[in-house]
Amino acid sequence: MRTDEPQAIHLKDYHAPDYKVFEIALDFVLDPAATRVGARLRMARTGAEDAPLVLNGEALKLVSVALDGKLLAKDEYSVDAEHLTIPNLPEKFVLDIVTEIAPEQNTLLSGLYTSKGMFCTQCEAEGFRRITYFLDRPDVLAVYTTRIEADRKLYPVLLSNGNLITKGDLPGGRHFAVWRDPFPKPCYLFALVAGDLGRIEDEFVTMSGRKVDLKIFVEHGNENKALYAMDSLKRAMKWDEEAYGREYDLDIFMIVAVSAFNFGAMENKGLNIFNDKVLLASPETATDDDYGRIEGVVAHEYFHNWSGDRITCRDWFQLSLKEGFTVFRDQGFSADMRSHAVKRIEEVRALRLRQFQEDAGPLAHPVQPQSYISIDNFYTATIYEKGAELIGMLKTLVGDETYRKATDLYFARHDGQAATVEDWVRCFEEASGRDLSQFRLWYAQAGTPVVGAKGLYDKSTKTYTLSLAQTLRPTPGQPEKKPMHIPVRLGFIGKSGASLPLTLEGENATGPEERVLELTEASQNFVFVGVEEEPILSLGRGFSAPAVFAVDHSPADRTTLMAHDPDSFNRWEAGQTAARAAMMAMMQGASPDPLYVAALGPVLDKAMEDMAFAANMLSLPLESEIAMAMPVVDPDAIHAARMGLVKTVAAAHRAKFAELYAALGEDGPFSPEAKAAGKRALRNACLRYLTAEDDEAAATLAHRHYLSATNMTDMIAGLAALTRMSSAKKDEAFTHFHDRFAKDALVLDKWMGLQAGSPRADTVVRVRALMEHAAFDIKNPNRVRALVGAFSANQLRFHAADGSGYALVGDVVRKLDGINAQVAARMAGAFETWRRFDPARQALIRAELEKTLAISGISSNLFEVMSKTLA
Ligand code: B3K
Ligand code: ZN
């Protein structure tokens, strides 16, 4: 184990920088093996006179430093592995620093690196220090001018942030370009791209009538696959004007797709860089989920121009300021483009799967963390998705109009600044006149509150007393919690399914059919009057807070809600709760709940009315979702119960599934739009049930579905059904798919992922074999996530009792740490739920964790995840 344990950085230690950078002029002479970077920094001292200038730097070769034009001697500065320190500086000065870097050696994909022969950068959070020495912190904002020089043939396209100032040819087959970004920005938003790229172009006229050139750069041959991203971009630009009054500010907006990228995409000012997985789409290669994700991520990165770039974060503890808000903005956009009901279900599903899991485990942290070892580890579901939920709650509490006032105020007041979460909340307080002190606890306390509800109906007085109580379990470092400010949206349903009015005691008019209660105490009573019959409680409508809403419904109440709740989210929720309860009971030996199975009948009868919603009603909770409800997770029992319920539902409604399946066949040309996608989703949900058995009839249907598919969504649905089967048709289809898409890495990722997700016993062996496949490359994060990430999400096989799954992921994590520590740490997150398993599995996982912590030279990223997981 390493002796020099990485040190944590604490929010309480924040202090403003001692120096300011007004301008930085960068000069890149590109070469994959040795790139020369000149940086001219115009600076001023803002702190104490004797404060030395401490610049960050990592993996840099320092060539020279000059102060106000005069080269510094070796004894006038000091350099260590992470800093360049210069003492005795005047009040204002110009520094010239020359460094050399090796982009082709940069497997961490942070800083300047090469991907398929092109140069690209990733600087958030702390990658700029791998390009040159700098004050690599988000509260240092400067104006950037970037000169790029490179071979003209190999790198005809030279891009950076802002506007193109000049370009030209140079002797020796070289050329150059100079870009200038007039908006002061932190260095994490710096970007550079150089390569031989194809492009598509379009334009957008902003609300004030300015024309903006839009360009998307991709590998030659992929131009058509960028059209959907371009269309999404234009819709996002328009939406941000309408929904938030935000207009784009530069004359040009560019996006570049790259193959090797650590996550989805990056909002560099005027030059977004995208993982090609969330940019490229065609009907033959992308699923409906891919289209939805591309639309959402394009919008997300574009929206960052205001929530992130023009207003950035003071320090990384404020990360959710830009990420939570921007997620909330992209969710609003996608909901408007598609279906609010379905989008909300998808959001909550993802939140529970990832964020609730995080909140319940050893890596739990508040939306505003107090400390970190590696900030890369804090780009989490808590910062992003829970952060977005907090904004949704603020909107619920202050109302739509005041919400817009608050965001207008925030954009006006903090434009050009590096702001804090506190600045944000204050805008809401001022716009609404409300005291949000207690609401701030949502940013400070980790963990998922449980809101318990008990209702007492008094027939004689027609009153209904609702007792709400909140509890929040301790999380690491937070043994005691205070009650939170929780908006609880609710309604009452009568036995016939009709909504009842909610009139609170003391009100003299009949109340509305839905209201939002504010739970602020550990427990509170709300008395409703004039309640004509005992109501069924519909609590937490629209998922009004990132909490567990625990209501003790009878199975009959649940089916009433499934059929009649006017809140579509709670209709879905009632079905999920019923299905989960049914499977839990099956694990105790019960047979499948006939009420639940029967309740799907009306869902099928009405399925054509809203196909995407019906598809969601028909999809059972995932195995890992069921696991969250169990004190000790039993992956085999969960799998068996889920399969059992699928088969029962399939048998009970076979005729209806077959009828719908036949009626929903593809007609007309492909459209990625919500309606067409909903139709495919419903048809594929039917296929899931029609192929419930592992027999030749099911295999034949799945195979036919696959072969007759005219788009990737349907192909994948056919293949997914086959992965569960023993029929020879499975291998036949997988081979066919492989050969058809042998040249398309993104599609082969799907092929790998499906095999890694198979419940069959040989999955672990197959995954090990696939790691040797020519298409697999441990240096490309997409390949690693597609195969190993998908495998660790396969609860049944990752948690195989013999430990073979743990060993596989452990081996990959240890190997990857020396290549790409960020991705290694991310993959290691697979172990975060380990204490919820039985002692034998825990022992096997512990061994993997200890073995990993013992590797020599472990990265601080992996050290942080492993040591916290083990703690
Ligand atoms: N801001 C980037 C994420 C950077 C992750 C750095 N480890 C993408 C986004 O959230 O839009
Ligand atoms: Zn973001």
Side-chain angles (χ1 to χ4, degrees):
M1 191 176 304
R2 59 188 294 165
T3 46
D4 58 327
E5 274 195 12
Q7 294 301 302
I9 296 167
H10 296 269
L11 170 56
K12 64 173 168 32
D13 296 338
Y14 173 84
H15 61 87
D18 289 323
Y19 290 85
K20 198 177 156 118
V21 185
F22 299 101
E23 267 199 86
I24 171 167
L26 292 164
D27 188 357
F28 288 84
V29 181
L30 293 177
D31 181 299
T35 287
R36 222 177 143 85
V37 185
R40 166 165 295 181
L41 281 58
R42 205 158 62 69
M43 301 187 63
R45 176 159 34 76
T46 48
E49 209 169 309
D50 60 351
L53 173 65
V54 185
L55 300 174
N56 307 98
E58 191 184 294
L60 300 173
K61 192 163 130 195
L62 181 60
V63 178
S64 64
V65 199
L67 175 64
D68 290 324
K70 196 176 142 285
L71 271 186
L72 291 184
K74 286 247 163 11
D75 60 352
E76 290 177 294
Y77 60 87
S78 62
V79 193
D80 66 25
E82 290 173 4
H83 310 96
L84 165 61
T85 306
I86 311 175
N88 308 322
L89 285 163
E91 227 175 277
K92 282 198 169 168
F93 56 94
V94 174
L95 272 188
D96 275 288
I97 303 173
V98 179
T99 49
E100 199 185 280
I101 49 181
E104 70 182 6
Q105 308 286 321
N106 184 353
T107 57
L108 186 51
L109 313 183
S110 163
L112 178 68
Y113 63 95
T114 55
S115 168
K116 287 192 160 183
M118 68 187 272
F119 287 91
C120 61
T121 52
Q122 173 53 39
C123 294
E124 186 177 1
E126 297 179 334
F128 193 72
R129 65 185 63 184
R130 296 165 58 82
I131 294 175
T132 184
Y133 287 99
F134 199 70
L135 289 169
D136 190 352
R137 44 188 290 169
D139 58 354
V140 171
L141 278 64
V143 169
Y144 283 65
T145 307
T146 306
R147 180 183 180 281
I148 312 166
E149 181 190 322
D151 185 276
R152 194 171 52 220
K153 251 222 185 89
L154 294 173
Y155 313 104
V157 175
L158 304 175
L159 311 173
S160 190
N161 317 83
N163 301 311
L164 180 66
I165 302 299
T166 166
K167 60 177 182 175
D169 288 338
L170 295 166
R174 297 181 69 80
H175 71 154
F176 75 97
V178 180
W179 293 81
R180 183 178 163 82
D181 179 3
F183 292 92
K185 64 167 176 283
C187 65
Y188 81 85
L189 291 173
F190 169 77
L192 176 154
V193 168
D196 184 3
L197 300 166
R199 79 182 71 181
I200 59 167
E201 299 189 6
D202 208 327
E203 59 180 51
F204 179 81
V205 179
T206 70
M207 58 187 182
S208 72
R210 279 189 316 100
K211 185 172 85 67
V212 181
D213 288 330
L214 309 176
K215 301 184 188 195
I216 300 183
F217 296 85
V218 294
E219 263 174 51
H220 289 290
N222 278 342
E223 290 84 351
N224 283 338
K225 290 189 185 166
L227 292 170
Y228 186 73
M230 181 66 92
D231 178 59
S232 304
L233 173 63
K234 289 195 288 180
R235 285 183 282 122
M237 293 177 87
K238 181 113 189 90
W239 187 89
D240 211 19
E241 293 184 343
E242 286 165 0
Y244 283 90
R246 299 298 106 202
E247 183 175 3
Y248 186 64
D249 46 16
L250 288 163
D251 300 331
I252 178 168
F253 184 82
M254 300 178 283
I255 299 179
V256 181
V258 305
S259 167
F261 204 71
N262 279 346
F263 36 88
M266 179 64 211
E267 70 262 26
N268 316 299
K269 181 80 188 185
L271 178 54
N272 289 357
I273 297 184
F274 270 60
N275 185 328
D276 57 3
K277 179 176 168 50
V278 292
L279 191 101
L280 302 176
S282 70
E284 299 75 41
T285 57
T287 62
D288 291 323
D289 287 346
D290 292 329
Y291 276 97
R293 200 170 310 117
I294 290 165
E295 177 179 77
V297 179
V298 167
H300 179 99
E301 305 311 332
Y302 172 73
F303 295 158
H304 266 314
N305 188 56
W306 273 95
S307 50
D309 297 5
R310 289 186 65 138
I311 305 180
T312 187
C313 301
R314 187 193 71 174
D315 54 73
W316 294 120
F317 297 101
Q318 322 296 329
L319 184 55
S320 196
L321 177 72
K322 74 175 176 83
E323 294 305 346
F325 185 27
T326 306
V327 169
F328 186 70
R329 279 150 58 65
D330 84 54
Q331 289 174 343
F333 167 74
S334 293
D336 282 352
M337 295 300 121
R338 290 157 186 261
S339 144
H340 282 250
V342 171
K343 177 72 182 148
R344 191 63 185 140
I345 290 168
E346 288 168 357
E347 284 159 18
V348 175
R349 222 178 185 158
L351 185 83
R352 285 184 180 147
L353 211 54
R354 299 172 47 225
Q355 202 281 323
F356 281 23
Q357 189 122 293
E358 192 162 78
D359 251 351
L363 302 173
H365 55 275
V367 172
Q368 178 161 51
Q370 292 296 306
S371 76
Y372 59 76
I373 293 177
S374 169
I375 188 58
D376 305 319
N377 289 330
F378 283 78
Y379 287 75
T380 60
T382 298
I383 305 290
Y384 276 67
E385 277 79 25
K386 185 175 179 181
E389 292 298 319
L390 268 48
I391 292 166
M393 284 191 287
L394 282 171
K395 190 173 182 184
T396 302
L397 290 172
V398 304
D400 293 2
E401 256 175 60
T402 307
Y403 173 76
R404 176 63 193 268
K405 273 193 203 136
T407 61
D408 282 352
L409 177 62
Y410 173 71
F411 287 124
R413 181 181 287 173
H414 297 290
D415 188 13
Q417 296 180 2
T420 61
V421 165
E422 182 52 31
D423 293 330
W424 163 262
V425 178
R426 225 176 282 131
C427 288
F428 275 80
E429 281 187 324
E430 285 180 37
S432 68
R434 294 195 57 159
D435 176 1
L436 296 170
S437 343
Q438 193 185 4
F439 188 84
R440 284 177 174 80
L441 288 171
W442 278 109
Y443 287 97
Q445 295 194 142
T448 307
V450 177
V451 177
K454 282 214 162 43
L456 197 70
Y457 183 63
D458 184 338
K459 209 172 168 181
S460 60
T461 56
K462 296 194 169 143
T463 56
Y464 180 80
T465 306
L466 175 63
S467 309
L468 294 181
Q470 56 167 309
T471 49
L472 183 53
R473 289 223 319 262
T475 52
Q478 296 188 330
E480 266 160 55
K481 308 278 187 177
K482 296 190 187 123
M484 311 263 248
H485 185 173
I486 306 180
V488 181
R489 191 183 294 277
L490 79 168
F492 291 162
I493 310 289
K495 289 274 175 283
S496 69
S499 294
L500 308 175
L502 293 98
T503 314
L504 282 165
E505 194 176 36
E507 291 177 340
N508 38 28
T510 303
E513 285 179 357
E514 176 173 289
R515 50 199 311 165
V516 177
L517 302 177
E518 297 188 23
L519 177 61
T520 53
E521 313 282 331
S523 64
Q524 253 167 290
N525 282 349
F526 298 88
V527 181
F528 295 89
V529 294
V531 187
E532 291 299 326
E533 60 171 302
E534 176 159 15
I536 303 171
L537 187 58
S538 166
L539 197 73
R541 283 189 170 173
F543 198 67
S544 62
V548 174
F549 293 96
V551 192
D552 224 355
H553 284 130
S554 70
D557 288 350
R558 276 193 210 114
T559 46
T560 306
L561 292 173
M562 262 176 91
H564 300 292
D565 198 319
D567 183 71
S568 53
F569 174 79
N570 265 6
R571 227 157 47 235
W572 171 80
E573 180 78 331
Q576 295 291 298
T577 312
R580 207 164 36 237
M583 291 184 273
M584 299 290 277
M586 288 165 76
M587 284 185 255
Q588 307 299 318
S591 44
D593 172 13
L595 270 181
Y596 171 71
V597 175
L600 290 176
V603 170
L604 287 166
D605 292 335
K606 281 196 300 204
M608 297 300 262
E609 289 168 23
D610 185 344
M611 296 185 270
F613 181 75
N616 275 287
M617 286 299 285
L618 291 171
S619 82
L620 298 181
L622 302 177
E623 291 177 19
S624 44
E625 289 180 75
I626 305 161
M628 276 189 270
M630 292 180 79
V632 179
V633 183
D634 182 341
D636 301 290
I638 292 174
H639 180 73
R642 193 170 185 278
M643 288 307 111
L645 188 55
V646 170
K647 286 181 188 174
T648 306
V649 171
H653 302 289
R654 174 159 277 281
K656 192 73 207 174
F657 281 124
E659 183 192 319
L660 272 174
Y661 181 80
L664 290 165
E666 202 58 35
D667 48 16
F670 177 86
S671 156
E673 272 165 32
K675 192 152 182 273
K679 188 173 165 193
R680 286 187 285 273
L682 180 57
R683 180 161 175 262
N684 289 330
C686 294
L687 177 75
R688 172 70 189 86
Y689 287 100
L690 292 170
T691 56
E693 300 294 335
D694 179 10
D695 58 24
E696 231 12 61
T700 303
L701 176 62
H703 196 219
R704 205 167 55 218
H705 188 90
Y706 164 76
L707 286 175
S708 60
T710 57
N711 58 74
M712 183 53 73
T713 302
D714 292 338
M715 290 185 101
I716 293 287
L719 284 183
L722 286 165
T723 56
R724 298 188 304 269
M725 300 186 184
S726 40
S727 164
K729 294 209 165 64
K730 176 178 69 178
D731 287 339
E732 204 181 301
F734 272 86
T735 304
H736 177 267
F737 187 91
H738 172 271
D739 296 348
R740 171 160 173 198
F741 295 106
K743 285 200 182 68
D744 192 326
L746 290 172
V747 180
L748 282 193
D749 282 350
K750 299 179 193 299
W751 178 81
M752 298 225 182
L754 281 170
Q755 297 178 75
S758 165
R760 302 195 61 81
D762 63 350
T763 299
V764 68
V765 178
R766 286 201 176 218
V767 171
R768 287 227 185 241
L770 284 169
M771 283 166 55
E772 306 300 320
H773 189 282
F776 185 77
D777 173 6
I778 197 165
K779 289 187 180 156
N780 186 306
N782 283 353
R783 308 294 94 81
V784 174
R785 281 185 288 256
L787 185 60
V788 186
F791 177 72
S792 57
N794 179 346
Q795 179 167 280
L796 183 69
R797 291 305 156 203
F798 173 53
H799 289 285
D802 63 359
S804 55
Y806 304 143
L808 188 159
V809 175
D811 286 347
V812 171
V813 165
R814 287 183 290 271
K815 178 162 181 209
L816 200 50
D817 194 42
I819 298 168
N820 188 331
Q822 291 186 20
V823 177
R826 189 87 7 177
M827 288 292 129
F831 293 112
E832 90 181 315
T833 56
W834 72 293
R835 287 199 197 274
R836 309 228 323 273
F837 289 80
D838 55 82
R841 285 186 170 88
Q842 283 196 31
L844 290 165
I845 300 178
R846 175 183 287 278
E848 287 301 325
L849 298 175
E850 285 171 348
K851 191 168 165 189
T852 306
L853 265 174
I855 55 178
S856 77
I858 187 172
S859 67
S860 53
N861 300 59
L862 188 56
F863 172 82
E864 179 171 39
V865 171
M866 290 285 92
S867 57
K868 288 182 176 173
T869 302
L870 205 47

